[in-house]
Amino acid sequence: MTAVTAVTDHTSGQEPTESRGTGASRERSVADSARRGGSSSTDTDTGTHTRAWAASPTRKARHDDSAPPAGEKRARRSRAGRRTSAETGTQGGTRGTTRTGTTKKAPDRHHARGKNAENGENSGSGDAEGRAWDDGLIARRAGDAPDSAESRDGNATHARVELFDQHGQDAYGDGTPQNTTYDPVLRARLDALRELVGLSRTRLDGRTLAEAGRVLDQAAARRGLSDRHTVVAIAGATGSGKSTLFNALAGVAISDTGVRRPTTAAPIACSWTDGAAALLDRLAIPGRLRRRPLQHTSQGAGLDGLVLVDLPDHDSAAVEHREHVDRILTLVDAVIWVVDPEKYADAVLHERYLRPMAGHAEVSFVVLNQTDRLPGDAADQVLDDLRRLLDDDGIALGEHGEPGATVLSLSALTGDGVAELREVLRQFVAERGAAARRVSADLDAAAARLRPVYAAGRRVGLSERAREEFSDRLADAVGAAAAGQAAERAWRRNAGKACGTPWLRLWRWYEDRRFPLLRAKPAPAPPADEEATARQRVEQAVRTVGDEAAAGLPAPWAQSVKEAAARGAHGLPEALDELALTAASPARRPPRPGWWPLAVLGQASMTLLQIVGGVWLLGQVIGVFPPNLGSPVLLMIAGIVGGPGVEWACRMAARGPARRYGIEAERKLREAAAACGRAQVLDPVAAELLRYREVREQYVRVTGAVGAGPVTMGSLGAVGSARQPGSGGSGGGREADAHGRVTELSTTGR
Amino acid sequence: MVTLDVRPQLLEALSALRDRVASARFPLPLTGAPRARANRDELLAQLDDYLVPRLRQPEAPLLAVIGGSTGAGKSTLVNSLVGRQVSEAGVLRPTTRTPVLVCNPEDHHWFAGLRVLPELTRVWMPDHPELREKPARPGQRVGRDEPRRGAGPGERVLRIETAATLPRGLALLDAPDIDSLVIGNRELAAELMCAADVWVMVTTAARYADAVPWHLLRTAKEYDATLVSVLDRVPHQVLADVSRQYGALLTKAGLGEVPRFTIPELPESAGGGGLLPATAVAPLRAWLTHRAQDPAACAQAMSRTAAGLLSSLDSRMPELAGAVSAQYAAALRLTAAVDDAYTREHARVRGRLQAGGVLAGSALSRWRSYPLDCSAGELLDAIVDSLAALLLCSVSAAGQRIDEQWSREPAAASRALAEREADREGAEHRIGLEARRWRRVLEEYVEEEARGQENPPDPEAVTALLATALLGGRRARTAGETLAERIGAHGALKLRDRGGRLLTECVEKVLRAERDRRLAPLDALDIQPESQAELIAALSVLKKER
């Protein structure tokens, strides 16, 4: 069948590798399927699916496909050319049958697709809605509604609908639509969002980003389409008079109205100006459902550029209607919500549609229909109540010239108030800004939804204090303080040993010999493979600093910061072991200062004095020397007092250098450990934080808060600047290095 | 009046079942939990408000609850059935916020008490003199709970009106909208529907295809309740057409035998305040009156709803039990994650202790400089400090592992579990305390051991050597040797033995205490495996008695 050709062709235009081969083989396959009747052939099946995928970019998101509309257009053109030849033969027969056969089946295709779309949305965002609508005896059963029969042969007929799609397009004429242009701010925001999605793809799961991808796709798709047209959908509950209003605006009975509920099953479009075919293709409205308003009447004038879409209801038991509505509402530029006095407070309308779309107030109209059913001033009362409800929903109302939703009351049946709506619509369409505003509102919504994964709850970054604490913990882990103290004491001990009185040394030696047990032997030299670093302390230090760096970050980023810290900790204890061996080898003897020989000399002279005095005295006693007590006693006393005196003076003098020596030893170890920790842990963490900051700035750009950049820079904390004062020289280089790493990451992320 | 065949055993089994249902808890935020909670409340409402009172007192008046979407004209219908303005009708939605119960004055005592809908505070309008003039008659059960005139804010109220025009044995309840924008209204409407003998479903020409009323109809079918369907506000010109289509839809949904009444749209139905002419509601009124006054019809209406509810228990109780067991399974998974993390950490700590991991860093520096440049006290301090650091590290590693595991469990999002105070300092303090206690006991052991010896060595030095020998693993071999030299081989062995046991105890105690702390909020939720079995058991007892 011809439709199959069109479909396959389209596929080939979009994805050459997947096409069914050259033109000849395609023709053959067409012929085959025509013979088979096309009722359930696989060709048709796959073709339809691909078509569905290609025609309206679904949220399965080809973010990187920069110009899907262009490809689409190309495909369409080639398809159009081919069709004319293939069509002629089969057209007559097919047309007759499909008119009758597919009218009812047509929605099924949209059904299937809409379902996919809805699933995607539900997984991302539908939780809140689902909960809001899951609280009552009756409402809870909303999910139990039996699915409408999704017949498989329905798929086959989709392809046939395609034929009429083309017809409609021809009838409309494919003018030369001017592509929609977005203003620079919006463009910048879209670019920022694209960048943001690229930057965060490695950190966030696809579900979180799917919504953003969808917004990008739709913005791109809409951008490729006409800006002379404004697509406005009429949505509302069943029986609210959507179709009646549609007809009233078109000035001709296009859409069936009736008492049967639900009346309208598939969306119907009405375009006031030519060239809207591509737009309607995007909405997947088949050609047979594309109409024109009654021309040459005063009523139809002034609405140039308007494309009105009459939607099915969103609240009837027919589930596929709701799926139509949900699908098309994401694609149109503006929406007219039609409510009636009976249903204007329905929970379905407010909770499922108006509240989530509160950000779209500028492209929304809320119309209270059927005022003819209300007596007297009741219409005003109801309108006020409706305004109150909308206000509760968080929808800005466009009163007093402020931007927001327009609320009107009218009666489509009597025509009361329709002119007013027409005038409002005329102005709205003439502005030609609806598409951009819609995209902007979508962008706002996507940004708001992404807020939890990008916005930090508080100041983010590693404080100077946290860095110092980390260094302290590492120093503790290598035992820097204890080692320094030990070095200081060893120095003093050596000084004491060197400058002590000989008698004291003698006594010590004697003591050692007498009680060898009391003096434990010093620990033997440690084996080379010893784990001198306290593993537990290193682990704890890394965990603490990771937690502190991650505090306040959104969960995915916090996770990546912690992971960066944990990765850095991998070889850290071993590195510190190494360092403890080299930087602070305890076996190395303390240096001998220059004044020690002097002290030894002094000590020796004191001992000499004692001996001289003693000998002198002894000589006097035995009569060798003349008795003169004064001088030898004085000499002896001088020696006896002077010896400890010199020792004491030495100890006092040694205190300062010993202290310096100990501090120096401690500092060396501490700094070495800190440098090691910085290189292995703090820098990766800072790089990760930088990366987050970059993403965060991008996010701020997406939200469109102009001039907020520096503020957030500040609020993100001193990620890169907080450096140890001691590392000033290498800090810059490291920072640059971190920058380099970040950009490298981001380019690969993109 | 009619009686249902009710045995006391059945009532007993039912009230046991009710208690089990009431005690079912779903504290963990699993996917099915909100639904299970709502189902539990709904079941409880049906048992309390309908089944138990109905089985206890089968002679009580028939309660017909008028339910439907907002703007369907429920209040107007009730007013028209009663013949005067009892419930406010209006154009603003939602109109009815307070449910109104209308009954014959003779039947008033049935509803003034707390027989049905005990959670709703009774109020009545002061402008009905008949009630004020007629205080509690003998035999009336109002005495213990005299209804109040007004209700405080946030209190849910039920207004009781009496009208002599209603036949005896019939009460009408005008419920709020089942799909109201006000969530409280929705819940109340559902609860009121649960209390009904006869469900009167009101829909309109504009709404008969709406999803929400159909959910309600399906619910009614599921419970096999006595159901009446009213198609209200149908414009005259399309009356036959719409009515036929609605009938077709009902038949398609398997509700073909449901009595269906069609009421045309009249000027009165839109304006509010007006009453529909008696002829418009006559068939419905006649049907209801017939149910109320014909014993057989009444019994049939009652027993159908009651039996339907009883048999619906067969599927609803297992569902509830399933949700309870899902809760228990989730709690078990959470506990298992905690246990697993602490078991792993315990093993790791033991490994580190054996490898001498405590004697590292500061402690190692001290040990190297001992005894020349370091006192025994300093060595001991460093070792105890290092032990505390090891324990703290393992505890926080366990905490991190648990956080990771729990982040994959939806049940762990519970506020009770998430509100864990950041007690790293607290844990540090507790662990430090334990480590110091270990040191003190070790010192006591050493003093005990040294007391018997002549020429007792310095206890602090011995303690330091002992601690080093215990915690230093292989690298502290010399400490063990020195210890043996100081205090004798036998004494050293004994000390090391006791100290080792003490150390094991200390480590276990710390880890167990931290694990218990972590599990405390979960334990506080008190999720027991028995409640599932009890629910099923109560159901099977009920089945036997039926």
Side-chain angles (χ1 to χ4, degrees), chain B residues 326-380:
Chain B
Q327 291 274 324
Y328 179 66
L332 220 53
R333 272 202 305 281
L334 295 183
T335 314
V338 173
D339 280 343
D340 178 54
Y342 274 100
T343 313
R344 275 163 186 255
E345 283 306 321
H346 195 181
R348 200 161 72 111
V349 166
R350 264 197 310 244
R352 305 279 316 147
L353 283 177
Q354 261 160 23
V358 172
L359 199 65
S362 301
L364 187 60
S365 295
R366 294 282 186 213
W367 169 237
R368 275 177 185 155
S369 55
Y370 178 83
L372 285 180
D373 301 324
C374 163
S375 71
E378 280 172 331
L379 176 61
L380 206 49

Side-chain angles (χ1 to χ4, degrees), chain A residues 145-310:
Chain A
D147 275 5
S148 66
E150 195 176 337
S151 56
R152 205 178 141 64
D153 59 338
N155 274 335
T157 54
H158 296 166
R160 274 179 269 162
V161 176
E162 213 52 51
L163 168 69
F164 296 99
D165 193 345
Q166 294 317 306
H167 262 296
Q169 191 175 325
D170 280 1
Y172 270 77
D174 211 343
T176 47
Q178 192 87 33
N179 285 358
T180 309
T181 46
Y182 299 149
D183 65 283
V185 176
L186 182 56
R187 264 209 311 273
R189 287 178 63 192
L190 284 170
D191 289 346
L193 182 61
R194 191 169 299 120
E195 196 101 325
L196 183 68
V197 168
L199 279 176
S200 18
R201 193 161 302 152
T202 51
R203 291 287 179 276
L204 304 178
D205 58 351
R207 260 176 48 185
T208 319
L209 293 175
E211 168 76 11
R214 195 184 63 78
V215 170
L216 283 175
D217 282 353
Q218 290 187 357
R222 183 68 185 88
R223 191 174 179 176
L225 298 171
S226 161
D227 79 324
R228 288 185 301 143
H229 295 87
T230 304
V231 185
V232 180
I234 300 185
T238 171
S240 286
K242 293 177 297 298
S243 297
T244 316
L245 180 63
F246 182 78
N247 291 342
L249 285 171
V252 59
I254 294 172
S255 192
D256 291 338
T257 58
V259 291
R260 281 182 76 107
R261 299 281 154 250
T263 317
T264 310
I268 297 178
C270 174
S271 175
W272 266 255
T273 317
D274 289 347
L279 280 170
L280 292 174
D281 282 350
R282 183 163 167 250
L283 301 185
I285 294 175
R288 67 192 161 81
L289 295 175
R290 299 178 185 181
R291 304 294 153 86
R292 288 156 170 285
L294 188 62
Q295 296 290 5
H296 316 300
T297 61
S298 58
Q299 283 188 325
L303 288 176
D304 287 344
L306 177 67
V307 179
L308 207 57
V309 181
D310 184 23

Side-chain angles (χ1 to χ4, degrees), chain A residues 132 135 138 140-141 238 260-261 315 317 342-344 346 477 485 489 493 532 535 539-540 543, chain B residues 39 42 93 183 186 204 207-211 216 219 222 245 348 352 361 366 368 373 378 396:
Chain A
D135 57 353
I138 294 94
R140 227 162 334 109
R141 273 154 229 288
T238 171
R260 281 182 76 107
R261 299 281 154 250
D315 66 342
E342 196 181 318
K343 291 187 161 184
Y344 75 89
D346 272 16
Q485 213 168 33
R489 284 179 189 170
R493 187 160 44 81
R535 302 291 195 264
E539 194 185 321
Q540 185 70 10
R543 189 175 300 129
Chain B
N39 277 339
E42 183 185 311
R93 317 263 165 252
I183 291 169
R186 283 207 299 252
T204 67
R207 279 196 184 275
Y208 69 87
D210 278 17
L216 191 55
T219 312
E222 188 186 314
Q245 273 166 31
R348 200 161 72 111
R352 305 279 316 147
R366 294 282 186 213
R368 275 177 185 155
D373 301 324
E378 280 172 331
S396 59

Side-chain angles (χ1 to χ4, degrees), chain A residues 32 36 63 92 144 151 168 186 191 212 229 327 352 427 432 476 503 513 645 718 748:
Chain A
D32 282 348
R36 268 178 280 153
H63 309 290
D144 300 349
S151 56
L186 182 56
D191 289 346
H229 295 87
R327 177 178 61 84
R352 205 181 142 83
Q427 280 177 13
R432 290 191 182 184
D476 219 14
W503 311 117
R513 288 206 49 185
T748 49

Side-chain angles (χ1 to χ4, degrees), chain A residues 132-133 135-138 140-142 144-146 238-239 259-262 315-317 341-348 350-351 355 373-375 378 381-382 385 388-389 476-479 482-483 485-486 489-490 493 517-518 520-524 526 530-537 539-540 543-544 547 586, chain B residues 35 38-39 42 70-71 91-93 178-181 183 186-187 190 193 204-212 214-216 218-219 222-223 233 238 241-242 245 265 270-271 348 352 357-358 360-362 364-366 368-369 371-374 378 385-386 389-390 392-393 396-397 400 424 475 478 482 485-486:
Chain A
W133 195 231
D135 57 353
L137 157 66
I138 294 94
R140 227 162 334 109
R141 273 154 229 288
D144 300 349
T238 171
V259 291
R260 281 182 76 107
R261 299 281 154 250
D315 66 342
S316 80
E342 196 181 318
K343 291 187 161 184
Y344 75 89
D346 272 16
V348 179
H350 289 272
E351 290 183 358
R355 272 178 210 167
R373 284 175 73 184
L374 288 171
Q381 272 182 45
V382 172
D385 199 43
R388 179 185 62 81
L389 288 177
D476 219 14
V478 295
Q485 213 168 33
R489 284 179 189 170
R493 187 160 44 81
L517 285 186
L518 279 186
K521 288 181 280 290
E530 197 185 33
E531 300 179 345
T533 311
R535 302 291 195 264
Q536 61 269 20
R537 286 193 194 269
E539 194 185 321
Q540 185 70 10
R543 189 175 300 129
T544 311
D547 284 353
Chain B
R35 193 182 174 116
N39 277 339
E42 183 185 311
T70 174
V91 290
L92 299 186
R93 317 263 165 252
I178 51 169
D179 59 347
S180 173
L181 201 48
I183 291 169
R186 283 207 299 252
E187 285 164 356
M193 294 309 299
T204 67
R207 279 196 184 275
Y208 69 87
D210 278 17
V212 176
W214 279 102
H215 295 318
L216 191 55
R218 240 174 256 129
T219 312
E222 188 186 314
Y223 295 157
R233 304 184 70 170
V238 297
D241 195 15
V242 167
Q245 273 166 31
E265 169 141 38
R348 200 161 72 111
R352 305 279 316 147
V358 172
S362 301
L364 187 60
S365 295
R366 294 282 186 213
R368 275 177 185 155
S369 55
L372 285 180
D373 301 324
C374 163
E378 280 172 331
D385 204 33
S386 190
L390 176 68
L392 178 64
C393 168
S396 59
Q400 199 176 21
R424 182 159 286 165
R475 73 176 65 158
T478 50
T482 320
E485 283 169 21
R486 287 277 179 91

Side-chain angles (χ1 to χ4, degrees), chain A residues 303-334:
Chain A
L303 288 176
D304 287 344
L306 177 67
V307 179
L308 207 57
V309 181
D310 184 23
L311 291 181
D313 61 89
H314 60 66
D315 66 342
S316 80
V319 183
E320 64 272 16
H321 290 188
R322 202 167 68 216
E323 283 158 4
H324 270 308
V325 174
D326 290 352
R327 177 178 61 84
I328 290 190
L329 280 183
T330 61
L331 300 172
V332 296
D333 299 331

Side-chain angles (χ1 to χ4, degrees), chain A residues 317-540:
Chain A
V319 183
E320 64 272 16
H321 290 188
R322 202 167 68 216
E323 283 158 4
H324 270 308
V325 174
D326 290 352
R327 177 178 61 84
I328 290 190
L329 280 183
T330 61
L331 300 172
V332 296
D333 299 331
V335 185
I336 301 177
W337 293 100
V338 180
V339 298
D340 66 71
E342 196 181 318
K343 291 187 161 184
Y344 75 89
D346 272 16
V348 179
L349 173 72
H350 289 272
E351 290 183 358
R352 205 181 142 83
Y353 292 99
L354 292 180
R355 272 178 210 167
M357 289 185 79
H360 294 70
E362 279 188 54
V363 289
S364 298
F365 301 84
V366 184
V367 172
L368 178 69
N369 195 7
Q370 302 182 3
T371 48
D372 53 312
R373 284 175 73 184
L374 288 171
D377 62 343
D380 288 335
Q381 272 182 45
V382 172
L383 197 63
D384 282 347
D385 199 43
L386 176 61
R387 283 213 175 90
R388 179 185 62 81
L389 288 177
L390 292 176
D391 204 45
D392 289 349
D393 290 337
I395 295 173
L397 298 182
E399 287 160 333
H400 318 298
E402 290 163 18
T406 311
V407 183
L408 294 170
S409 69
L410 55 79
S411 167
L413 203 63
T414 61
D416 198 19
V418 174
E420 202 181 332
L421 174 65
R422 193 189 298 277
E423 174 58 24
V424 172
L425 272 180
R426 194 189 59 73
Q427 280 177 13
F428 185 76
V429 172
E431 279 173 28
R432 290 191 182 184
R437 263 185 267 168
R438 157 85 210 217
V439 168
S440 173
D442 277 348
L443 203 54
D444 286 343
R449 206 163 282 172
L450 287 176
R451 194 178 163 74
V453 295
Y454 288 120
R458 61 182 190 92
R459 219 182 124 90
V460 163
L462 265 183
S463 65
E464 189 65 27
R465 200 178 55 82
R467 287 165 164 273
E468 264 165 27
E469 270 179 11
F470 179 64
S471 301
D472 286 351
R473 278 169 206 270
L474 283 189
D476 219 14
V478 295
Q485 213 168 33
E488 180 186 340
R489 284 179 189 170
W491 204 93
R492 259 160 58 182
R493 187 160 44 81
N494 285 340
K497 218 192 267 176
C499 315
T501 57
W503 311 117
L504 201 64
R505 285 195 202 181
L506 205 66
W507 184 74
R508 276 195 192 134
W509 173 78
Y510 175 70
E511 282 281 296
D512 275 358
R513 288 206 49 185
R514 239 185 54 170
F515 306 108
L517 285 186
L518 279 186
R519 294 257 147 216
K521 288 181 280 290
D529 64 338
E530 197 185 33
E531 300 179 345
T533 311
R535 302 291 195 264
Q536 61 269 20
R537 286 193 194 269
V538 175
E539 194 185 321
Q540 185 70 10

